[in-house]
């Protein structure tokens, strides 16, 4: 099945470069381009791409707000944030808003291709190292819900009650930014078993991917917030 992609960036040359790389792949096709977040939201509604490569810093409407609007609208498109820096506050805000990961703009062509395929398959693209750095930033932020209000702790507790003890353990490992392999080693189970647990966790909590599971764990205060950050 061909993966449809929408490229969103205010720099025409970057859009052109990404298109050239992706269109060469037999299983990927670029169905459209947008120069800002507002245009991205409009294009997504018409084209229904599986993956949206979304720049975060754009005029008119930035990638964070565009991602938030797409998520609120219930779009099935997966957002992959494009950023210039390893740890970008905009990129992190976009993850909280519903993005499935982020990618550096100077990424190698093969890494870009792999990321698009990974996102399309339902997984997330954020390395364990970057996840830990992002969560260090998150630990210093006040907890808020997707609509900007205070987190409803009772709702988090109710959602967590649906998890088994083992699923709860896996969620805690996810919150530490561990990969499936690292979790399997920590819990002494197979990697396939970890993948099954992650799938069930996402289903029970109504989350899109492991990145959202990590954010959920922090918002539910499963992981103590550092007072030094």
């Amino acid at each position: 099945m061909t993966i449809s992609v929408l490229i969103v960036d205010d720099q025409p040359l970057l859009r052109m470069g990404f298109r050239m790389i992706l269109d060469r792949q037999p299983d990927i096709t670029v169905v459209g381009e947008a120069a800002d977040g507002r245009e991205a939201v409009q294009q997504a509604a018409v084209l229904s791409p599986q993956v949206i490569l979304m720049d975060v810093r754009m005029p008119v409407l930035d990638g964070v707000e565009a991602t938030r609007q797409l998520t609120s609208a219930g779009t099935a498109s997966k957002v992959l944030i494009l950023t210039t820096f390893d740890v970008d506050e905009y990129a992190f805000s976009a993850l909280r808003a519903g993005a499935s990961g982020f990618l550096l703009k100077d990424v190698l062509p093969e890494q870009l291709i792999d990321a698009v395929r990974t996102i399309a398959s339902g997984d997330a693209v954020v390395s364990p190292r970057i996840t830990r750095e992002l969560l260090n930033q998150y630990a210093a932020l006040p907890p808020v819900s997707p609509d900007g209000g205070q987190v409803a702790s009772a709702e988090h507790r109710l959602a967590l009650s649906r998890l088994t003890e083992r699923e709860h353990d896996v969620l805690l490992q996810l919150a530490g930014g561990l990969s499936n392999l690292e979790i399997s080693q920590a819990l002494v189970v197979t990697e396939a078993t970890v993948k099954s647990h992650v799938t069930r966790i996402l289903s029970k909590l109504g989350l899109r991917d492991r990145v959202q599971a990590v954010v959920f764990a922090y918002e539910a205060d499963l992981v103590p917030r550092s007072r030094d950050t």
Side-chain angles (χ1 to χ4, degrees), residues 101-112:
F102 77 92
L103 201 64
L104 296 179
K105 287 188 176 183
D106 61 356
V107 67
L108 296 174
E110 56 268 28
Q111 293 174 324
L112 172 65

Side-chain angles (χ1 to χ4, degrees), residues 30-52:
V30 176
V31 295
E33 298 180 14
D36 59 64
R38 181 178 300 169
E39 188 178 353
V41 174
Q42 296 170 344
Q43 290 267 39
V46 175
L47 300 173
S48 298
Q50 289 174 265
V51 176
I52 301 175

Side-chain angles (χ1 to χ4, degrees), residues 79-81 91-102 118-119 122-128 130-132 134-135 138 171 174-178 180 198 201-202 205 207-219:
V79 176
L80 180 57
I81 292 296
F92 179 58
S93 296
L95 290 179
R96 297 188 77 198
S100 295
F102 77 92
T118 298
I119 289 290
D123 209 338
V125 178
V126 180
S127 72
I130 297 301
T131 300
R132 294 186 187 103
L134 287 170
L135 292 176
Y138 177 78
L171 180 58
L174 282 175
L178 272 64
N180 286 345
V198 172
I201 289 169
L202 297 181
L205 299 182
L207 304 172
R208 292 163 63 96
D209 52 49
R210 65 190 297 120
V211 172
Q212 297 304 302
V214 172
V215 173
F216 177 93
Y218 271 72
E219 289 183 338

Side-chain angles (χ1 to χ4, degrees), residues 25-158:
Q25 305 308 306
D27 60 333
I28 301 175
T29 182
V30 176
V31 295
E33 298 180 14
D36 59 64
R38 181 178 300 169
E39 188 178 353
V41 174
Q42 296 170 344
Q43 290 267 39
V46 175
L47 300 173
S48 298
Q50 289 174 265
V51 176
I52 301 175
L53 294 183
M54 180 84 75
D55 185 17
V56 284
R57 301 169 186 250
M58 296 181 292
V60 184
L61 189 70
D62 65 34
V64 177
E65 182 57 32
T67 299
R68 185 175 292 113
Q69 290 186 18
L70 289 166
T71 301
S72 298
T75 178
S77 301
K78 302 296 181 63
V79 176
L80 180 57
I81 292 296
L82 300 173
T83 181
T84 305
F85 308 102
D86 273 359
V87 179
D88 186 327
E89 61 182 277
Y90 284 84
F92 179 58
S93 296
L95 290 179
R96 297 188 77 198
S100 295
F102 77 92
L103 201 64
L104 296 179
K105 287 188 176 183
D106 61 356
V107 67
L108 296 174
E110 56 268 28
Q111 293 174 324
L112 172 65
I113 295 165
D114 286 344
V116 168
R117 288 172 177 156
T118 298
I119 289 290
S121 72
D123 209 338
V125 178
V126 180
S127 72
R129 178 182 66 83
I130 297 301
T131 300
R132 294 186 187 103
E133 292 178 6
L134 287 170
L135 292 176
N136 284 338
Q137 288 191 13
Y138 177 78
L141 299 175
V144 295
S145 62
D147 62 2
Q150 293 299 312
V151 170
S153 297
E155 292 182 10
H156 284 94
R157 287 195 295 271
L158 177 60

